[in-house]
Amino acid sequence: MRHFLKETDFKPSELDALFALARELKANRGNHAKPLAGQTWAMIFSKSSTRTRVSFDVGIHELGGHPLFLNKNDVQLGRGETVSDTAKVLSRFVHGLIVRTYDHAEVQELADTGSIPVINALTDLLHPCQIFADAFTLAERWGKGGDLVGSLKGRKIAFVGDRGCNVANSWILGANLLGMKISLAGPVGFDAAPEFNALLAKEGYAGGYHFTNDPYEAVRDADVVYTDVWVSMGKEEETAERIKVMSPFAVTPELFAAAKPDAYFMHCLPAHVGQEVTQAVLDNPRSIIFDQAENRLHMQKAILATLAQQKRT
Ligand code: CP
Ligand code: NVA
């Protein structure tokens, strides 16, 4: 059974087809095939969401399927039913699962013990749907009309702020998969969990990033300046400390101006204006934050259509 729990669940040789499908689904929105016809896909969310929840709901509907949203606290999983029993029961009813949770091991266990495809809609470790949509957003610009994935190769992304968060981790994995360079600037002590470095090594990408404490060094020659919130969901108790140590890593107009003159600004959103980024940067003509958000829909439809092709095991 094929899942999408991390970027590397797609082989490099499959990326051209995936990105081309996202482009085709975007161009023909409302007038394309419905590969999820007759299917129900359940969405189990343990954390808040605007973009991911709505884009999956709309995307499943547009592909002909039925989205079934399940707040974790409304199902027995939230009262202690085991992950594996949940996976086995839901596998008897629905055709796929989309899961947003804390512990990455939970999505892995759902995938390992169920018999339907599982999509990672964000864990504490990774946010692969975000990174594929972001990469598609860049490829639309750099590979206009031509080689989408190829247009990313050799480009440099600078991630500034909470360099140990799920989006930073996923961008490290994604950049290595896509042939991009990545430099991250953030405070010492907020590094990725050892679990992430083990995953990176397992994928053959150990050390596949550059880390600095100087945000200006990270953005030098960068094609993209990317940031995310300083306090991810689940880290609220560390709010005061995080704001204090991450303040030097805010993306200001001065920092953005130190990247390449045609660099793009990206943020997965939601943004905390005045913390990790200023309003002026969010409003810059080279800020592509809302195109990123829109492309969640088109890329996730391409992922859903790809996973739905497989036979049940
Ligand atoms: N970027 C993102 O995943 O947003 P949501 O938390 O609103 O889904
Ligand atoms: N790092 C953020 C991303 C939100 C989309 C979080 O996990 O809260």
Side-chain angles (χ1 to χ4, degrees):
M1 179 55 54
R2 175 159 201 187
H3 308 286
F4 183 54
L5 307 187
K6 56 187 186 301
E7 284 80 351
T8 43
D9 286 340
F10 276 86
K11 293 199 272 297
S13 59
E14 297 174 308
L15 295 173
D16 282 331
L18 181 73
F19 279 52
L21 181 56
R23 178 160 60 187
E24 184 192 319
L25 291 168
K26 183 172 181 174
N28 299 314
R29 190 173 175 195
N31 184 33
H32 52 60
K34 301 205 179 304
L36 265 55
Q39 297 194 1
T40 297
W41 283 62
M43 301 157 59
I44 310 177
F45 278 48
S46 305
K47 290 174 172 173
S48 302
S49 172
T50 298
R51 281 143 287 268
T52 310
R53 175 178 175 172
V54 175
S55 56
F56 268 114
D57 194 303
V58 171
I60 292 164
H61 170 73
E62 289 185 0
L63 291 171
H66 171 62
L68 177 65
F69 184 80
L70 302 168
N71 184 316
K72 186 181 180 181
N73 292 327
D74 294 341
V75 293
Q76 298 289 8
L77 181 64
R79 295 182 60 247
E81 183 165 16
T82 65
V83 172
S84 69
D85 280 3
T86 303
K88 287 172 193 157
V89 170
L90 290 177
S91 294
R92 303 287 178 110
F93 295 136
V94 303
H95 299 81
L97 282 183
I98 295 151
V99 185
R100 171 169 284 203
T101 191
Y102 294 87
D103 188 355
H104 190 79
E106 189 176 319
V107 292
Q108 188 68 58
E109 191 178 352
L110 284 164
D112 292 345
T113 56
S115 53
I116 51 177
V118 177
I119 296 178
N120 176 1
L122 181 148
T123 63
D124 289 346
L125 191 71
L126 297 172
H127 195 6
C129 292
Q130 179 73 52
I131 274 55
F132 272 15
D134 293 344
F136 176 66
T137 307
L138 292 167
E140 275 185 315
R141 286 169 168 72
W142 294 331
K144 229 172 242 157
D147 183 1
L148 288 172
V149 177
S151 74
L152 301 169
K153 296 210 187 320
R155 299 278 189 167
K156 177 182 172 182
I157 176 156
F159 187 100
V160 183
D162 182 10
R163 56 96 36 181
C165 78
N166 42 16
V167 172
N169 289 345
S170 256
W171 252 118
I172 293 174
L173 211 48
N176 280 277
L177 180 71
L178 293 158
M180 299 174 75
K181 293 179 273 191
I182 183 160
S183 183
L184 302 99
V188 172
F190 289 89
D191 297 326
E195 186 188 0
F196 175 67
N197 286 315
L199 171 65
L200 208 57
K202 197 170 150 218
E203 299 293 340
Y205 298 144
Y209 59 91
H210 169 254
F211 176 57
T212 171
N213 302 123
D214 178 358
Y216 282 86
E217 185 189 333
V219 304
R220 193 181 307 139
D221 296 324
D223 296 289
V224 180
V225 176
Y226 200 114
T227 192
D228 185 9
V229 292
W230 291 339
V231 185
S232 284
M233 292 179 277
K235 304 282 184 200
E236 290 80 3
E237 280 179 12
E238 300 172 3
T239 298
E241 192 193 351
R242 284 173 167 269
I243 290 175
K244 195 169 136 211
V245 298
M246 293 189 193
S247 292
F249 300 93
V251 182
T252 59
E254 294 71 36
L255 184 67
F256 187 40
K260 278 189 181 167
D262 57 353
Y264 291 113
F265 171 73
M266 301 182 89
H267 191 312
C268 55
L269 302 180
H272 285 66
V273 183
Q275 290 188 16
E276 75 275 4
V277 63
T278 66
Q279 189 63 51
V281 173
L282 290 167
D283 292 341
N284 186 292
R286 284 180 283 113
S287 162
I288 54 174
I289 54 176
F290 297 114
D291 291 336
Q292 283 177 262
E294 178 190 333
N295 282 333
R296 298 292 305 280
L297 173 67
H298 310 300
M299 177 51 79
Q300 286 161 196
K301 283 169 73 177
I303 294 165
L304 285 163
T306 304
L307 295 188
Q309 277 172 6
Q310 61 190 329
K311 295 228 170 351
R312 286 172 80 105
T313 52

mmCIF file of all heavy atoms in Angstrom, residues 190 230-231 238-249 272 274-276:
data_model
loop_
_atom_site.group_PDB
_atom_site.id
_atom_site.type_symbol
_atom_site.label_atom_id
_atom_site.label_comp_id
_atom_site.label_asym_id
_atom_site.label_seq_id
_atom_site.Cartn_x
_atom_site.Cartn_y
_atom_site.Cartn_z
ATOM 1 N N PHE A 190 17.261 25.049 19.427
ATOM 2 C CA PHE A 190 15.954 24.726 18.843
ATOM 3 C C PHE A 190 16.169 23.956 17.545
ATOM 4 O O PHE A 190 15.618 24.277 16.499
ATOM 5 C CB PHE A 190 15.125 26.000 18.639
ATOM 6 C CG PHE A 190 14.650 26.565 19.947
ATOM 7 C CD1 PHE A 190 15.423 27.460 20.648
ATOM 8 C CD2 PHE A 190 13.451 26.144 20.498
ATOM 9 C CE1 PHE A 190 15.017 27.950 21.880
ATOM 10 C CE2 PHE A 190 13.029 26.625 21.730
ATOM 11 C CZ PHE A 190 13.810 27.535 22.422
ATOM 12 N N TRP A 230 7.133 30.991 15.094
ATOM 13 C CA TRP A 230 8.153 30.609 16.085
ATOM 14 C C TRP A 230 7.591 29.627 17.109
ATOM 15 O O TRP A 230 8.351 28.947 17.804
ATOM 16 C CB TRP A 230 8.671 31.869 16.797
ATOM 17 C CG TRP A 230 9.488 32.768 15.912
ATOM 18 C CD1 TRP A 230 10.129 32.427 14.764
ATOM 19 C CD2 TRP A 230 9.751 34.156 16.118
ATOM 20 N NE1 TRP A 230 10.789 33.505 14.240
ATOM 21 C CE2 TRP A 230 10.575 34.585 15.055
ATOM 22 C CE3 TRP A 230 9.388 35.090 17.097
ATOM 23 C CZ2 TRP A 230 11.031 35.905 14.939
ATOM 24 C CZ3 TRP A 230 9.843 36.391 16.986
ATOM 25 C CH2 TRP A 230 10.657 36.791 15.921
ATOM 26 N N VAL A 231 6.267 29.606 17.228
ATOM 27 C CA VAL A 231 5.644 28.727 18.230
ATOM 28 C C VAL A 231 4.667 27.802 17.488
ATOM 29 O O VAL A 231 3.521 28.161 17.235
ATOM 30 C CB VAL A 231 4.909 29.540 19.318
ATOM 31 C CG1 VAL A 231 4.387 28.605 20.407
ATOM 32 C CG2 VAL A 231 5.807 30.615 19.913
ATOM 33 N N GLU A 238 6.348 27.062 25.546
ATOM 34 C CA GLU A 238 7.674 27.667 25.343
ATOM 35 C C GLU A 238 7.586 29.045 24.700
ATOM 36 O O GLU A 238 8.606 29.600 24.270
ATOM 37 C CB GLU A 238 8.513 26.762 24.430
ATOM 38 C CG GLU A 238 8.740 25.365 24.977
ATOM 39 C CD GLU A 238 9.405 24.438 23.945
ATOM 40 O OE1 GLU A 238 9.733 24.890 22.826
ATOM 41 O OE2 GLU A 238 9.581 23.258 24.265
ATOM 42 N N THR A 239 6.378 29.624 24.631
ATOM 43 C CA THR A 239 6.166 30.853 23.857
ATOM 44 C C THR A 239 7.136 31.976 24.237
ATOM 45 O O THR A 239 7.819 32.536 23.364
ATOM 46 C CB THR A 239 4.704 31.336 24.004
ATOM 47 O OG1 THR A 239 3.859 30.320 23.479
ATOM 48 C CG2 THR A 239 4.469 32.634 23.239
ATOM 49 N N ALA A 240 7.222 32.307 25.520
ATOM 50 C CA ALA A 240 8.034 33.470 25.921
ATOM 51 C C ALA A 240 9.502 33.267 25.541
ATOM 52 O O ALA A 240 10.146 34.165 24.969
ATOM 53 C CB ALA A 240 7.894 33.693 27.421
ATOM 54 N N GLU A 241 10.014 32.072 25.805
ATOM 55 C CA GLU A 241 11.426 31.816 25.506
ATOM 56 C C GLU A 241 11.691 31.840 24.000
ATOM 57 O O GLU A 241 12.687 32.402 23.522
ATOM 58 C CB GLU A 241 11.827 30.449 26.085
ATOM 59 C CG GLU A 241 13.320 30.245 26.062
ATOM 60 C CD GLU A 241 13.724 28.809 26.320
ATOM 61 O OE1 GLU A 241 12.855 27.991 26.693
ATOM 62 O OE2 GLU A 241 14.925 28.510 26.126
ATOM 63 N N ARG A 242 10.776 31.240 23.252
ATOM 64 C CA ARG A 242 10.960 31.202 21.794
ATOM 65 C C ARG A 242 10.968 32.609 21.196
ATOM 66 O O ARG A 242 11.795 32.918 20.332
ATOM 67 C CB ARG A 242 9.850 30.351 21.151
ATOM 68 C CG ARG A 242 10.073 28.872 21.341
ATOM 69 C CD ARG A 242 8.898 28.047 20.858
ATOM 70 N NE ARG A 242 9.309 26.662 20.794
ATOM 71 C CZ ARG A 242 9.829 26.077 19.715
ATOM 72 N NH1 ARG A 242 9.916 26.742 18.597
ATOM 73 N NH2 ARG A 242 10.214 24.829 19.760
ATOM 74 N N ILE A 243 10.038 33.457 21.648
ATOM 75 C CA ILE A 243 9.983 34.817 21.096
ATOM 76 C C ILE A 243 11.280 35.550 21.416
ATOM 77 O O ILE A 243 11.833 36.262 20.569
ATOM 78 C CB ILE A 243 8.733 35.561 21.617
ATOM 79 C CG1 ILE A 243 7.479 34.938 20.990
ATOM 80 C CG2 ILE A 243 8.808 37.055 21.313
ATOM 81 C CD1 ILE A 243 6.169 35.484 21.485
ATOM 82 N N LYS A 244 11.796 35.316 22.614
ATOM 83 C CA LYS A 244 13.035 36.001 23.015
ATOM 84 C C LYS A 244 14.219 35.568 22.131
ATOM 85 O O LYS A 244 14.908 36.403 21.558
ATOM 86 C CB LYS A 244 13.320 35.669 24.490
ATOM 87 C CG LYS A 244 14.337 36.556 25.117
ATOM 88 C CD LYS A 244 14.368 36.357 26.623
ATOM 89 C CE LYS A 244 15.801 36.292 27.081
ATOM 90 N NZ LYS A 244 16.000 35.462 28.238
ATOM 91 N N VAL A 245 14.419 34.276 21.998
ATOM 92 C CA VAL A 245 15.638 33.839 21.280
ATOM 93 C C VAL A 245 15.494 33.916 19.756
ATOM 94 O O VAL A 245 16.496 33.967 19.045
ATOM 95 C CB VAL A 245 16.096 32.420 21.693
ATOM 96 C CG1 VAL A 245 16.445 32.373 23.164
ATOM 97 C CG2 VAL A 245 15.057 31.364 21.357
ATOM 98 N N MET A 246 14.261 33.931 19.265
ATOM 99 C CA MET A 246 14.090 33.941 17.797
ATOM 100 C C MET A 246 13.959 35.351 17.233
ATOM 101 O O MET A 246 14.026 35.532 16.006
ATOM 102 C CB MET A 246 12.899 33.056 17.403
ATOM 103 C CG MET A 246 13.198 31.590 17.710
ATOM 104 S SD MET A 246 12.012 30.430 17.077
ATOM 105 C CE MET A 246 12.492 28.948 17.983
ATOM 106 N N SER A 247 13.814 36.364 18.111
ATOM 107 C CA SER A 247 13.642 37.743 17.630
ATOM 108 C C SER A 247 14.701 38.202 16.621
ATOM 109 O O SER A 247 14.359 38.877 15.644
ATOM 110 C CB SER A 247 13.595 38.720 18.803
ATOM 111 O OG SER A 247 12.424 38.494 19.523
ATOM 112 N N PRO A 248 15.986 37.838 16.810
ATOM 113 C CA PRO A 248 16.976 38.283 15.808
ATOM 114 C C PRO A 248 16.765 37.646 14.428
ATOM 115 O O PRO A 248 17.436 38.028 13.470
ATOM 116 C CB PRO A 248 18.309 37.810 16.408
ATOM 117 C CG PRO A 248 18.036 37.528 17.840
ATOM 118 C CD PRO A 248 16.605 37.115 17.925
ATOM 119 N N PHE A 249 15.857 36.698 14.335
ATOM 120 C CA PHE A 249 15.657 35.963 13.068
ATOM 121 C C PHE A 249 14.361 36.367 12.356
ATOM 122 O O PHE A 249 13.889 35.656 11.476
ATOM 123 C CB PHE A 249 15.707 34.456 13.344
ATOM 124 C CG PHE A 249 17.023 34.032 13.929
ATOM 125 C CD1 PHE A 249 17.215 33.963 15.298
ATOM 126 C CD2 PHE A 249 18.101 33.757 13.093
ATOM 127 C CE1 PHE A 249 18.441 33.607 15.845
ATOM 128 C CE2 PHE A 249 19.333 33.407 13.622
ATOM 129 C CZ PHE A 249 19.506 33.328 15.006
ATOM 130 N N HIS A 272 2.372 35.222 12.066
ATOM 131 C CA HIS A 272 2.237 36.065 13.260
ATOM 132 C C HIS A 272 2.990 37.357 12.960
ATOM 133 O O HIS A 272 4.210 37.432 13.120
ATOM 134 C CB HIS A 272 2.794 35.348 14.496
ATOM 135 C CG HIS A 272 1.876 34.269 14.981
ATOM 136 N ND1 HIS A 272 1.619 33.143 14.243
ATOM 137 C CD2 HIS A 272 1.120 34.179 16.096
ATOM 138 C CE1 HIS A 272 0.753 32.379 14.908
ATOM 139 N NE2 HIS A 272 0.426 32.995 16.028
ATOM 140 N N GLY A 274 4.714 40.756 12.935
ATOM 141 C CA GLY A 274 5.454 41.434 14.006
ATOM 142 C C GLY A 274 6.321 40.458 14.792
ATOM 143 O O GLY A 274 7.141 40.887 15.598
ATOM 144 N N GLN A 275 6.136 39.163 14.580
ATOM 145 C CA GLN A 275 7.067 38.179 15.154
ATOM 146 C C GLN A 275 8.010 37.722 14.034
ATOM 147 O O GLN A 275 8.962 38.433 13.723
ATOM 148 C CB GLN A 275 6.316 37.014 15.799
ATOM 149 C CG GLN A 275 5.587 37.437 17.073
ATOM 150 C CD GLN A 275 4.994 36.259 17.836
ATOM 151 O OE1 GLN A 275 5.330 35.111 17.626
ATOM 152 N NE2 GLN A 275 4.080 36.574 18.751
ATOM 153 N N GLU A 276 7.704 36.592 13.401
ATOM 154 C CA GLU A 276 8.669 36.047 12.431
ATOM 155 C C GLU A 276 8.764 36.872 11.142
ATOM 156 O O GLU A 276 9.718 36.717 10.388
ATOM 157 C CB GLU A 276 8.347 34.575 12.114
ATOM 158 C CG GLU A 276 7.156 34.335 11.199
ATOM 159 C CD GLU A 276 5.821 34.301 11.939
ATOM 160 O OE1 GLU A 276 5.821 34.537 13.155
ATOM 161 O OE2 GLU A 276 4.787 34.042 11.288
#
